[in-house]
Amino acid sequence: MYKFEKLTTGEYGNFLLNEPMKNHTTFKVGGPADLLIMPKTENDLISIVKYCNSEQIPYMVIGNGSNLLITDKGIRGVVIKLGDNFAQISIEGDRIKAQAGALLRTVALESFEVSLTGMEEISGIPGSIGGAMVMNAGAYGGEISFVVDKVRCLTREGEIQEFEKDEMEFGYRQSVVSKRNLIVIDVELQLKKGNYEEIIEKFNDFDNRRTTKQ
């Protein structure tokens, strides 16, 4: 049995023991995780990862659980969920900074509200911005890699690393995040100023296409 004591004090965020993963996946399937914990801060996340390493506890990180299939047997060890506590979005000029748990669609919609263009094609992709970094989310000829400027990640050893766009090794449904099994903390996007009406028209077109097909 794994030693969860330090993680179940509430010091590092809310936690749930033997939590059914069906409550945390968009497919609504999945057996129980031994422990699901939702860190409150970046330091909490680092502490959890380092503790799991020191106690040899296996762990996995999820965002909003989109396209995630979990068996009825569940998950042994720890599931770290970067949800509402890691969903802050800030906009300054034509730049957006978003934490890993922010939904990709939410980030896109907020960019449209201030007439920023660049995310129309990918705005309908389900999942978090962190998940988008893992797989270089793309649709209708657009990719998240087109607008990424910097990505801050946590290594499996609990060390912070920052990657510039040209260091992200983006490819078809892959990136340095997936290749090195990194944990995305936050992302900086570089967009462009555009015409609000044209942006919304383009967004509605792609949204209608996706809805019609899926």
PDB file of all heavy atoms in Angstrom, residues 9-33:
ATOM      1  N   THR A   9      -3.528  15.498   4.083  1.00  0.00           N
ATOM      2  CA  THR A   9      -3.691  16.446   5.194  1.00  0.00           C
ATOM      3  C   THR A   9      -4.466  17.688   4.754  1.00  0.00           C
ATOM      4  O   THR A   9      -4.893  18.483   5.586  1.00  0.00           O
ATOM      5  CB  THR A   9      -2.323  16.902   5.722  1.00  0.00           C
ATOM      6  OG1 THR A   9      -1.628  17.598   4.670  1.00  0.00           O
ATOM      7  CG2 THR A   9      -1.482  15.703   6.170  1.00  0.00           C
ATOM      8  N   GLY A  10      -4.616  17.851   3.440  1.00  0.00           N
ATOM      9  CA  GLY A  10      -5.250  19.048   2.906  1.00  0.00           C
ATOM     10  C   GLY A  10      -4.264  20.173   2.655  1.00  0.00           C
ATOM     11  O   GLY A  10      -4.631  21.225   2.119  1.00  0.00           O
ATOM     12  N   GLU A  11      -3.002  19.944   3.015  1.00  0.00           N
ATOM     13  CA  GLU A  11      -1.980  20.984   2.866  1.00  0.00           C
ATOM     14  C   GLU A  11      -1.707  21.316   1.411  1.00  0.00           C
ATOM     15  O   GLU A  11      -1.407  22.464   1.067  1.00  0.00           O
ATOM     16  CB  GLU A  11      -0.680  20.524   3.543  1.00  0.00           C
ATOM     17  CG  GLU A  11       0.460  21.513   3.446  1.00  0.00           C
ATOM     18  CD  GLU A  11       1.742  21.013   4.099  1.00  0.00           C
ATOM     19  OE1 GLU A  11       1.722  19.906   4.687  1.00  0.00           O
ATOM     20  OE2 GLU A  11       2.762  21.724   4.011  1.00  0.00           O
ATOM     21  N   TYR A  12      -1.826  20.319   0.541  1.00  0.00           N
ATOM     22  CA  TYR A  12      -1.467  20.520  -0.859  1.00  0.00           C
ATOM     23  C   TYR A  12      -2.675  20.599  -1.786  1.00  0.00           C
ATOM     24  O   TYR A  12      -2.538  20.505  -3.003  1.00  0.00           O
ATOM     25  CB  TYR A  12      -0.534  19.401  -1.319  1.00  0.00           C
ATOM     26  CG  TYR A  12       0.737  19.331  -0.505  1.00  0.00           C
ATOM     27  CD1 TYR A  12       1.034  18.185   0.235  1.00  0.00           C
ATOM     28  CD2 TYR A  12       1.602  20.410  -0.445  1.00  0.00           C
ATOM     29  CE1 TYR A  12       2.193  18.129   1.003  1.00  0.00           C
ATOM     30  CE2 TYR A  12       2.757  20.360   0.321  1.00  0.00           C
ATOM     31  CZ  TYR A  12       3.044  19.224   1.039  1.00  0.00           C
ATOM     32  OH  TYR A  12       4.181  19.166   1.802  1.00  0.00           O
ATOM     33  N   GLY A  13      -3.861  20.754  -1.225  1.00  0.00           N
ATOM     34  CA  GLY A  13      -5.055  20.869  -2.046  1.00  0.00           C
ATOM     35  C   GLY A  13      -6.113  19.863  -1.636  1.00  0.00           C
ATOM     36  O   GLY A  13      -5.884  18.983  -0.808  1.00  0.00           O
ATOM     37  N   ASN A  14      -7.283  20.010  -2.227  1.00  0.00           N
ATOM     38  CA  ASN A  14      -8.375  19.074  -1.939  1.00  0.00           C
ATOM     39  C   ASN A  14      -8.038  17.696  -2.474  1.00  0.00           C
ATOM     40  O   ASN A  14      -7.380  17.561  -3.515  1.00  0.00           O
ATOM     41  CB  ASN A  14      -9.670  19.565  -2.570  1.00  0.00           C
ATOM     42  CG  ASN A  14     -10.126  20.888  -1.991  1.00  0.00           C
ATOM     43  OD1 ASN A  14      -9.886  21.180  -0.822  1.00  0.00           O
ATOM     44  ND2 ASN A  14     -10.791  21.698  -2.802  1.00  0.00           N
ATOM     45  N   PHE A  15      -8.494  16.678  -1.776  1.00  0.00           N
ATOM     46  CA  PHE A  15      -8.187  15.314  -2.194  1.00  0.00           C
ATOM     47  C   PHE A  15      -9.407  14.425  -2.011  1.00  0.00           C
ATOM     48  O   PHE A  15     -10.312  14.712  -1.210  1.00  0.00           O
ATOM     49  CB  PHE A  15      -6.998  14.756  -1.403  1.00  0.00           C
ATOM     50  CG  PHE A  15      -7.281  14.585   0.060  1.00  0.00           C
ATOM     51  CD1 PHE A  15      -7.790  13.382   0.551  1.00  0.00           C
ATOM     52  CD2 PHE A  15      -7.065  15.614   0.964  1.00  0.00           C
ATOM     53  CE1 PHE A  15      -8.070  13.224   1.897  1.00  0.00           C
ATOM     54  CE2 PHE A  15      -7.334  15.463   2.318  1.00  0.00           C
ATOM     55  CZ  PHE A  15      -7.847  14.254   2.795  1.00  0.00           C
ATOM     56  N   LEU A  16      -9.429  13.338  -2.771  1.00  0.00           N
ATOM     57  CA  LEU A  16     -10.503  12.353  -2.699  1.00  0.00           C
ATOM     58  C   LEU A  16      -9.879  10.968  -2.747  1.00  0.00           C
ATOM     59  O   LEU A  16      -9.074  10.675  -3.643  1.00  0.00           O
ATOM     60  CB  LEU A  16     -11.474  12.532  -3.868  1.00  0.00           C
ATOM     61  CG  LEU A  16     -12.229  13.873  -3.925  1.00  0.00           C
ATOM     62  CD1 LEU A  16     -12.853  14.072  -5.307  1.00  0.00           C
ATOM     63  CD2 LEU A  16     -13.298  13.932  -2.845  1.00  0.00           C
ATOM     64  N   LEU A  17     -10.228  10.124  -1.794  1.00  0.00           N
ATOM     65  CA  LEU A  17      -9.728   8.752  -1.755  1.00  0.00           C
ATOM     66  C   LEU A  17     -10.693   7.831  -2.493  1.00  0.00           C
ATOM     67  O   LEU A  17     -11.912   7.993  -2.414  1.00  0.00           O
ATOM     68  CB  LEU A  17      -9.563   8.286  -0.308  1.00  0.00           C
ATOM     69  CG  LEU A  17      -8.423   8.938   0.486  1.00  0.00           C
ATOM     70  CD1 LEU A  17      -8.575   8.667   1.980  1.00  0.00           C
ATOM     71  CD2 LEU A  17      -7.070   8.425  -0.006  1.00  0.00           C
ATOM     72  N   ASN A  18     -10.125   6.860  -3.213  1.00  0.00           N
ATOM     73  CA  ASN A  18     -10.933   5.895  -3.968  1.00  0.00           C
ATOM     74  C   ASN A  18     -11.994   6.605  -4.817  1.00  0.00           C
ATOM     75  O   ASN A  18     -13.159   6.227  -4.843  1.00  0.00           O
ATOM     76  CB  ASN A  18     -11.595   4.888  -3.020  1.00  0.00           C
ATOM     77  CG  ASN A  18     -10.581   4.081  -2.245  1.00  0.00           C
ATOM     78  OD1 ASN A  18      -9.620   3.570  -2.826  1.00  0.00           O
ATOM     79  ND2 ASN A  18     -10.771   3.958  -0.937  1.00  0.00           N
ATOM     80  N   GLU A  19     -11.545   7.625  -5.510  1.00  0.00           N
ATOM     81  CA  GLU A  19     -12.454   8.465  -6.293  1.00  0.00           C
ATOM     82  C   GLU A  19     -12.695   7.873  -7.686  1.00  0.00           C
ATOM     83  O   GLU A  19     -11.753   7.623  -8.454  1.00  0.00           O
ATOM     84  CB  GLU A  19     -11.873   9.863  -6.447  1.00  0.00           C
ATOM     85  CG  GLU A  19     -12.609  10.785  -7.392  1.00  0.00           C
ATOM     86  CD  GLU A  19     -14.015  11.132  -6.912  1.00  0.00           C
ATOM     87  OE1 GLU A  19     -14.392  10.733  -5.802  1.00  0.00           O
ATOM     88  OE2 GLU A  19     -14.740  11.807  -7.654  1.00  0.00           O
ATOM     89  N   PRO A  20     -13.973   7.618  -8.045  1.00  0.00           N
ATOM     90  CA  PRO A  20     -14.278   7.098  -9.386  1.00  0.00           C
ATOM     91  C   PRO A  20     -13.822   8.080 -10.464  1.00  0.00           C
ATOM     92  O   PRO A  20     -14.218   9.246 -10.456  1.00  0.00           O
ATOM     93  CB  PRO A  20     -15.795   6.955  -9.373  1.00  0.00           C
ATOM     94  CG  PRO A  20     -16.168   6.856  -7.930  1.00  0.00           C
ATOM     95  CD  PRO A  20     -15.188   7.736  -7.213  1.00  0.00           C
ATOM     96  N   MET A  21     -13.020   7.601 -11.391  1.00  0.00           N
ATOM     97  CA  MET A  21     -12.516   8.466 -12.452  1.00  0.00           C
ATOM     98  C   MET A  21     -13.604   8.841 -13.456  1.00  0.00           C
ATOM     99  O   MET A  21     -13.434   9.790 -14.225  1.00  0.00           O
ATOM    100  CB  MET A  21     -11.345   7.795 -13.165  1.00  0.00           C
ATOM    101  CG  MET A  21     -10.058   7.753 -12.334  1.00  0.00           C
ATOM    102  SD  MET A  21      -9.521   9.402 -11.804  1.00  0.00           S
ATOM    103  CE  MET A  21      -9.157  10.170 -13.370  1.00  0.00           C
ATOM    104  N   LYS A  22     -14.719   8.133 -13.439  1.00  0.00           N
ATOM    105  CA  LYS A  22     -15.822   8.504 -14.323  1.00  0.00           C
ATOM    106  C   LYS A  22     -16.337   9.910 -14.005  1.00  0.00           C
ATOM    107  O   LYS A  22     -16.966  10.543 -14.850  1.00  0.00           O
ATOM    108  CB  LYS A  22     -16.953   7.493 -14.213  1.00  0.00           C
ATOM    109  CG  LYS A  22     -17.665   7.465 -12.872  1.00  0.00           C
ATOM    110  CD  LYS A  22     -18.766   6.420 -12.844  1.00  0.00           C
ATOM    111  CE  LYS A  22     -19.482   6.412 -11.501  1.00  0.00           C
ATOM    112  NZ  LYS A  22     -20.546   5.372 -11.466  1.00  0.00           N
ATOM    113  N   ASN A  23     -16.055  10.384 -12.795  1.00  0.00           N
ATOM    114  CA  ASN A  23     -16.461  11.734 -12.409  1.00  0.00           C
ATOM    115  C   ASN A  23     -15.530  12.807 -12.967  1.00  0.00           C
ATOM    116  O   ASN A  23     -15.809  13.997 -12.816  1.00  0.00           O
ATOM    117  CB  ASN A  23     -16.500  11.868 -10.889  1.00  0.00           C
ATOM    118  CG  ASN A  23     -17.527  10.958 -10.242  1.00  0.00           C
ATOM    119  OD1 ASN A  23     -18.508  10.582 -10.878  1.00  0.00           O
ATOM    120  ND2 ASN A  23     -17.296  10.602  -8.987  1.00  0.00           N
ATOM    121  N   HIS A  24     -14.440  12.372 -13.610  1.00  0.00           N
ATOM    122  CA  HIS A  24     -13.416  13.327 -14.046  1.00  0.00           C
ATOM    123  C   HIS A  24     -12.999  13.126 -15.498  1.00  0.00           C
ATOM    124  O   HIS A  24     -11.968  13.641 -15.922  1.00  0.00           O
ATOM    125  CB  HIS A  24     -12.188  13.213 -13.128  1.00  0.00           C
ATOM    126  CG  HIS A  24     -12.518  13.417 -11.681  1.00  0.00           C
ATOM    127  ND1 HIS A  24     -12.583  14.661 -11.102  1.00  0.00           N
ATOM    128  CD2 HIS A  24     -12.832  12.511 -10.705  1.00  0.00           C
ATOM    129  CE1 HIS A  24     -12.910  14.528  -9.819  1.00  0.00           C
ATOM    130  NE2 HIS A  24     -13.068  13.248  -9.558  1.00  0.00           N
ATOM    131  N   THR A  25     -13.784  12.375 -16.260  1.00  0.00           N
ATOM    132  CA  THR A  25     -13.500  12.176 -17.686  1.00  0.00           C
ATOM    133  C   THR A  25     -14.734  12.533 -18.503  1.00  0.00           C
ATOM    134  O   THR A  25     -15.866  12.338 -18.058  1.00  0.00           O
ATOM    135  CB  THR A  25     -13.105  10.718 -17.992  1.00  0.00           C
ATOM    136  OG1 THR A  25     -14.202   9.857 -17.676  1.00  0.00           O
ATOM    137  CG2 THR A  25     -11.882  10.299 -17.185  1.00  0.00           C
ATOM    138  N   THR A  26     -14.515  13.036 -19.699  1.00  0.00           N
ATOM    139  CA  THR A  26     -15.648  13.436 -20.533  1.00  0.00           C
ATOM    140  C   THR A  26     -16.428  12.232 -21.039  1.00  0.00           C
ATOM    141  O   THR A  26     -17.610  12.360 -21.373  1.00  0.00           O
ATOM    142  CB  THR A  26     -15.166  14.281 -21.729  1.00  0.00           C
ATOM    143  OG1 THR A  26     -14.175  13.544 -22.462  1.00  0.00           O
ATOM    144  CG2 THR A  26     -14.560  15.592 -21.257  1.00  0.00           C
ATOM    145  N   PHE A  27     -15.786  11.063 -21.110  1.00  0.00           N
ATOM    146  CA  PHE A  27     -16.489   9.857 -21.528  1.00  0.00           C
ATOM    147  C   PHE A  27     -17.321   9.253 -20.397  1.00  0.00           C
ATOM    148  O   PHE A  27     -18.095   8.324 -20.612  1.00  0.00           O
ATOM    149  CB  PHE A  27     -15.503   8.803 -22.034  1.00  0.00           C
ATOM    150  CG  PHE A  27     -14.874   9.137 -23.353  1.00  0.00           C
ATOM    151  CD1 PHE A  27     -13.523   8.905 -23.566  1.00  0.00           C
ATOM    152  CD2 PHE A  27     -15.622   9.680 -24.389  1.00  0.00           C
ATOM    153  CE1 PHE A  27     -12.944   9.204 -24.787  1.00  0.00           C
ATOM    154  CE2 PHE A  27     -15.042   9.978 -25.611  1.00  0.00           C
ATOM    155  CZ  PHE A  27     -13.703   9.737 -25.814  1.00  0.00           C
ATOM    156  N   LYS A  28     -17.122   9.769 -19.167  1.00  0.00           N
ATOM    157  CA  LYS A  28     -17.873   9.318 -17.988  1.00  0.00           C
ATOM    158  C   LYS A  28     -17.690   7.828 -17.718  1.00  0.00           C
ATOM    159  O   LYS A  28     -18.627   7.120 -17.344  1.00  0.00           O
ATOM    160  CB  LYS A  28     -19.366   9.643 -18.129  1.00  0.00           C
ATOM    161  CG  LYS A  28     -19.661  11.119 -18.341  1.00  0.00           C
ATOM    162  CD  LYS A  28     -19.135  11.959 -17.198  1.00  0.00           C
ATOM    163  CE  LYS A  28     -19.420  13.435 -17.409  1.00  0.00           C
ATOM    164  NZ  LYS A  28     -18.797  14.294 -16.359  1.00  0.00           N
ATOM    165  N   VAL A  29     -16.454   7.354 -17.912  1.00  0.00           N
ATOM    166  CA  VAL A  29     -16.125   5.973 -17.579  1.00  0.00           C
ATOM    167  C   VAL A  29     -14.827   5.964 -16.784  1.00  0.00           C
ATOM    168  O   VAL A  29     -14.026   6.894 -16.861  1.00  0.00           O
ATOM    169  CB  VAL A  29     -15.972   5.090 -18.834  1.00  0.00           C
ATOM    170  CG1 VAL A  29     -17.286   4.987 -19.594  1.00  0.00           C
ATOM    171  CG2 VAL A  29     -14.873   5.625 -19.746  1.00  0.00           C
ATOM    172  N   GLY A  30     -14.644   4.908 -16.015  1.00  0.00           N
ATOM    173  CA  GLY A  30     -13.397   4.763 -15.278  1.00  0.00           C
ATOM    174  C   GLY A  30     -13.612   4.408 -13.823  1.00  0.00           C
ATOM    175  O   GLY A  30     -14.437   4.995 -13.131  1.00  0.00           O
ATOM    176  N   GLY A  31     -12.854   3.408 -13.373  1.00  0.00           N
ATOM    177  CA  GLY A  31     -12.908   2.978 -11.985  1.00  0.00           C
ATOM    178  C   GLY A  31     -12.178   3.941 -11.066  1.00  0.00           C
ATOM    179  O   GLY A  31     -11.735   5.014 -11.493  1.00  0.00           O
ATOM    180  N   PRO A  32     -12.022   3.561  -9.801  1.00  0.00           N
ATOM    181  CA  PRO A  32     -11.480   4.484  -8.801  1.00  0.00           C
ATOM    182  C   PRO A  32      -9.963   4.676  -8.872  1.00  0.00           C
ATOM    183  O   PRO A  32      -9.220   3.740  -9.135  1.00  0.00           O
ATOM    184  CB  PRO A  32     -11.870   3.833  -7.474  1.00  0.00           C
ATOM    185  CG  PRO A  32     -11.910   2.369  -7.797  1.00  0.00           C
ATOM    186  CD  PRO A  32     -12.443   2.278  -9.197  1.00  0.00           C
ATOM    187  N   ALA A  33      -9.547   5.905  -8.613  1.00  0.00           N
ATOM    188  CA  ALA A  33      -8.130   6.196  -8.378  1.00  0.00           C
ATOM    189  C   ALA A  33      -7.887   6.071  -6.881  1.00  0.00           C
ATOM    190  O   ALA A  33      -8.729   6.476  -6.072  1.00  0.00           O
ATOM    191  CB  ALA A  33      -7.797   7.605  -8.841  1.00  0.00           C
TER     192      ALA A  33
END
